[in-house]
Amino acid sequence: MRRRLIKNYLLIILMTIGITVCAFVANGYSYLVEENEKSLLSRASVLADSFSSQEPKQTEDIEAFLKKQSEKFGLRLTFIDRNGNVLADSDSDADTMDNHRTRPEIRRAFRNGQGADHRYSETMGVEYYYAAVEVEAGNFHGALRVSEPAHAFQELIDHLTFSISVLILLSVVLAFVLVNYFTKKVTEPIEYMTRKSEEIAEGNYGGSILVDGEDEVARLARSFNKMTKTLKIEQERVESQREELASILSSMSSGIAAIDSGGKLLFYNQLFLELLEIHMGNQDLKGRSLYQYFRNEEILDVISNVEENESQFQKESPIEKDGEIRIILIKGTPLYRQEKKKVGTLLSLEDITKMKKLETMRTDFVSNVTHELKTPLTSIRGFVETLKEGAIDDPQFARRFLDIIDIEAERLGLLIQDILLLSEIESGTDTSKSMVKVEPVIDNVIELLEKKGKKNVQIVKEMEKPVTDFLCNENRLRQLIINLADNGLKYTNEGQVTIRCFEQENDLILQFVDTGVGIPKEHLPRLFERFYRVDKGRSRKQGGTGLGLSIVKHIVELYRGKISVESKPDKGSVFTVRLPYY
């Protein structure tokens, strides 16, 4: 901007100076020529008066007068008669000179009494200025002409031209200095404000513009400072709201996205992309079309219903994520501006897979509990009815039926006990923690199970060295070991059940190895579900409730541990429990 102003100002100044100089030179030259001719006429008049007072008698007197005055004034003097003949000349031979009657200054002198002209002299070979005055002295009547070489006048013109050129040069230099100074004074605040504007455009609102005075630039600077403060406050407010919105969106357990009427994303959170498995790295999808990266009929259906009816709409959709089918609840809500103008749709995506599984598990649990309770109750009622009908009078049948009723009642009690235990463990409450020595607990379990063990099956313990005491509820730990060891006994007809205990990487490891019938591979993923049995007939026959392994799993999870199983049919199973010390 500054350079442009300097160029424009200098161009205007140079044009003004040029026009002024041209006008001055044109008018000045004409003026100097006129003044020079007037000066020559004035001198010619004086010399004419002096010539008239001499009253020359012959031509020689005229020649003597002209030469004398020529030497005195440094002028060329010529006397021409009325016929144009040159009678005498101070610098040349009059006889050799042409007739001068046609000369402009001579014609004017005879017509008007005086005349002037300037032109190239063929006689002298240089340019001359001429002034002639009509004169009458004695017997001579003619014109006295005074002439002066043009080089003297040209020297004056050259000197004047040089002076003007120097003056123009000095004026241009001075103009450049002044223009540079004043443009700098004007443009510096503007350039400063421009830099500040660029900084503000980049998001830097610090600092202010310091400009003194009351002119337009100063007022603009003060307005600019006020605007900057307002923008800074507004930007901080917007940034705060943006951070609050981002914090809210990131902390939400649902995937959230706002989509305009054209399908472009207005905002979203990371969980929304994760649920839809949209992987874009660090790229920002704001302003881009959602349909470009993902197409789902249920989502499109929700958006379409919201846009058509301008009301909330929701729908469940199965989506494959990480190789698993996830159930996503899609909710759509109309999105309005403050002036109640609809701008798009707010989508909420919630992964309800676990909830659906829990609902299924609850339904299955109720169904299984009902079934498990119904079976012994039906058996008890049946035998009671049989006894009522007369079997009680037969001691042999009565005792047999009572034994069966007792077994079913015990089984019913064990089932209720396991359900209550599982409920207690799932609640996560475990207030009776203490440092428990693990080896005595294992010994106690082995002693307990050996009493009801099988003849061809042994229970053995393997411990290379004592392990560190474990912080837990001793009854929970005993229940875990009993259930896993008893499970091994039930499914082992011959061989042994081995309980191994050791430490590994700050974990307590409990392994239960049996040489039983094993478990088919397809049953392993569901092995720890409530009431799940690999062989239902055999499990019930052996008095199992179907909750043992589920109780074990919840005890392990209560102490932040992990349980795994490896098994091969007809070769046995290995259950491994890993419990962290801290």
Side-chain angles (χ1 to χ4, degrees):
M1 178 181 178
R2 185 177 171 188
R3 290 182 178 178
R4 190 165 63 250
L5 283 175
I6 291 174
K7 288 179 180 179
N8 292 337
Y9 284 148
L10 286 178
L11 181 61
I12 292 171
I13 291 171
L14 290 175
M15 288 177 63
T16 303
I17 292 175
I19 293 171
T20 303
V21 167
C22 290
F24 176 77
V25 168
N27 294 327
Y29 184 79
S30 300
Y31 173 77
L32 290 175
V33 169
E34 291 178 1
E35 289 298 314
N36 191 47
E37 289 179 349
K38 288 179 180 179
S39 176
L40 281 176
L41 284 172
S42 178
R43 285 181 283 179
S45 297
V46 171
L47 290 172
D49 290 342
S50 177
F51 179 74
S52 297
S53 64
Q54 295 292 328
E55 293 186 359
K57 304 296 181 182
Q58 52 187 359
T59 304
E60 288 77 6
D61 295 335
I62 296 174
E63 290 179 353
F65 175 81
L66 295 181
K67 288 182 179 180
K68 180 180 179 181
Q69 296 302 321
S70 175
E71 292 174 359
K72 182 178 180 180
F73 292 102
L75 299 172
R76 178 186 175 191
L77 302 177
T78 308
F79 186 82
I80 301 99
D81 64 13
R82 294 284 297 181
N83 296 320
N85 297 316
V86 178
L87 299 181
D89 188 272
S90 61
D91 293 347
S92 299
D93 185 5
D95 294 335
T96 61
M97 296 177 68
D98 296 333
N99 188 284
H100 281 40
R101 185 168 181 80
T102 59
R103 301 291 193 273
E105 68 277 7
I106 300 300
R107 289 204 315 266
R108 294 189 189 110
F110 288 141
R111 186 173 62 247
N112 301 321
Q114 63 180 16
D117 190 29
H118 64 276
R119 63 181 180 277
Y120 184 80
S121 174
E122 297 292 343
T123 304
M124 303 302 296
V126 293
E127 188 174 3
Y128 268 85
Y129 279 86
Y130 300 98
V133 178
E134 187 177 10
V135 64
E136 187 174 352
N139 298 324
F140 296 98
H141 183 207
L144 179 63
R145 187 181 71 176
V146 177
S147 57
E148 183 180 34
H151 63 81
F153 179 74
Q154 191 62 42
E155 288 178 0
L156 174 63
I157 296 297
D158 292 343
H159 179 71
L160 183 61
T161 302
F162 175 76
S163 300
I164 292 173
S165 300
V166 172
L167 184 60
I168 291 172
L169 181 61
L170 292 175
S171 299
V172 170
V173 172
L174 180 62
F176 177 79
V177 173
L178 292 175
V179 166
N180 185 61
Y181 172 76
F182 286 113
T183 53
K184 182 179 180 181
K185 197 169 184 63
V186 172
T187 58
E188 269 190 347
I190 297 175
E191 290 174 353
Y192 184 55
M193 283 189 285
T194 302
R195 290 195 299 272
K196 282 293 181 181
S197 299
E198 292 172 350
E199 291 177 3
I200 289 174
E202 294 174 358
N204 181 13
Y205 296 95
S208 59
I209 301 173
L210 303 176
V211 179
D212 297 328
E214 294 295 331
D215 58 2
E216 289 77 4
V217 175
R219 292 201 301 272
L220 177 61
R222 285 192 287 272
S223 299
F224 188 87
N225 290 335
K226 185 177 180 181
M227 180 193 69
T228 302
K229 291 180 181 178
T230 304
L231 283 175
K232 184 177 181 181
I233 294 172
E234 187 65 20
Q235 190 264 348
E236 289 175 351
R237 185 182 67 81
V238 172
E239 187 67 22
S240 176
Q241 290 180 345
R242 188 189 67 81
E243 290 178 356
E244 289 175 1
L245 177 61
S247 177
I248 292 171
L249 290 175
S250 62
S251 62
M252 292 183 71
S253 58
S254 302
I256 301 295
I259 303 171
D260 66 12
S261 56
K264 294 181 179 179
L265 285 166
L266 301 176
F267 63 82
Y268 58 91
N269 63 359
Q270 188 62 32
L271 185 57
F272 179 82
L273 301 181
E274 291 176 1
L275 288 174
L276 298 183
E277 288 198 317
I278 299 176
H279 305 290
M280 297 302 296
N282 296 324
Q283 294 186 34
D284 191 357
L285 300 186
K286 289 181 182 178
R288 300 187 183 184
S289 175
L290 173 66
Y291 312 136
Q292 182 179 351
Y293 303 99
F294 184 82
R295 286 186 177 273
N296 179 279
E297 290 185 6
E298 283 75 13
I299 291 180
L300 296 178
D301 189 33
V302 169
I303 295 173
S304 176
N305 271 278
V306 172
E307 289 183 348
E308 289 178 5
N309 304 319
E310 294 192 3
S311 60
Q312 292 185 353
F313 185 79
Q314 68 179 40
K315 195 173 186 180
E316 293 180 7
S317 171
I319 294 178
E320 186 175 350
K321 186 175 185 294
D322 299 329
E324 298 181 4
I325 299 298
R326 318 284 289 184
I327 306 300
I328 305 297
L329 178 62
I330 307 166
K331 295 180 181 178
T333 306
L335 191 62
Y336 296 96
R337 292 192 188 275
Q338 291 182 351
E339 57 271 19
K340 302 300 181 182
K341 180 181 179 182
K342 186 175 182 296
V343 295
T345 303
L346 181 66
L347 285 179
S348 171
L349 273 60
E350 185 177 357
D351 189 347
I352 58 172
T353 306
K354 290 184 178 179
M355 187 175 69
K356 285 290 184 181
K357 286 184 178 179
L358 288 174
E359 289 180 357
T360 304
M361 289 174 64
R362 184 187 64 180
T363 303
D364 292 344
F365 179 73
V366 172
S367 176
N368 288 329
V369 167
T370 303
H371 179 72
E372 294 293 335
L373 292 174
K374 185 178 179 181
T375 301
L377 285 174
T378 301
S379 179
I380 290 172
R381 290 197 58 166
F383 285 111
V384 169
E385 290 292 334
T386 303
L387 290 172
K388 284 182 178 181
E389 289 175 359
I392 195 171
D393 297 327
D394 187 337
Q396 184 178 356
F397 281 102
R399 179 171 293 279
R400 181 184 168 199
F401 289 166
L402 287 173
D403 288 341
I404 295 173
I405 290 172
D406 183 54
I407 292 171
E408 293 297 337
E410 182 182 2
R411 179 182 168 195
L412 189 61
L414 289 173
L415 178 61
I416 294 172
Q417 181 181 346
D418 281 354
I419 291 173
L420 293 174
L421 177 61
L422 185 60
S423 176
E424 182 183 349
I425 294 171
E426 283 184 333
S427 68
T429 56
D430 191 13
T431 57
S432 303
K433 287 185 179 181
S434 61
M435 299 304 294
V436 177
K437 295 185 179 298
V438 180
E439 187 173 2
V441 177
I442 296 174
D443 292 338
N444 179 260
V445 171
I446 292 175
E447 183 181 352
L448 179 66
L449 294 179
E450 280 180 341
K451 293 179 181 179
K452 63 174 185 177
K454 300 177 181 178
K455 294 181 180 180
N456 298 328
V457 181
Q458 291 183 331
I459 302 178
V460 298
K461 175 187 71 175
E462 289 185 3
M463 290 185 69
E464 295 181 2
K465 57 182 180 178
V467 296
T468 306
D469 296 351
F470 189 73
L471 180 62
C472 65
N473 184 323
E474 185 174 343
N475 290 330
R476 297 275 188 268
L477 181 63
R478 181 179 290 105
Q479 187 73 41
L480 182 151
I481 297 173
I482 288 175
N483 283 5
L484 288 175
D486 187 47
N487 187 74
L489 282 173
K490 288 177 181 177
Y491 294 96
T492 302
N493 297 322
E494 187 176 357
Q496 67 180 25
V497 176
T498 305
I499 302 176
R500 296 173 182 167
C501 181
F502 57 93
E503 293 180 22
Q504 185 181 75
E505 298 178 356
N506 296 319
D507 289 338
L508 173 64
I509 308 297
L510 293 170
Q511 278 189 341
F512 299 83
V513 184
D514 65 63
T515 57
V517 296
I519 305 168
K521 185 177 181 181
E522 62 270 17
H523 294 286
L524 294 178
R526 301 188 60 189
L527 199 60
F528 297 98
E529 292 182 11
R530 298 178 180 90
F531 300 109
Y532 185 79
R533 294 183 174 91
V534 177
D535 186 346
K536 296 183 180 180
R538 177 169 182 170
S539 296
R540 286 199 179 91
K541 193 174 182 180
Q542 292 182 349
T545 63
L547 295 173
L549 291 181
S550 182
I551 291 172
V552 168
K553 178 186 176 185
H554 282 82
I555 292 174
V556 171
E557 291 177 349
L558 182 64
Y559 297 112
R560 299 175 291 107
K562 294 181 180 179
I563 185 170
S564 60
V565 58
E566 297 177 5
S567 183
K568 292 182 179 180
D570 301 324
K571 291 188 178 181
S573 305
V574 178
F575 287 82
T576 303
V577 176
R578 183 181 292 270
L579 300 173
Y581 278 104
Y582 50 84

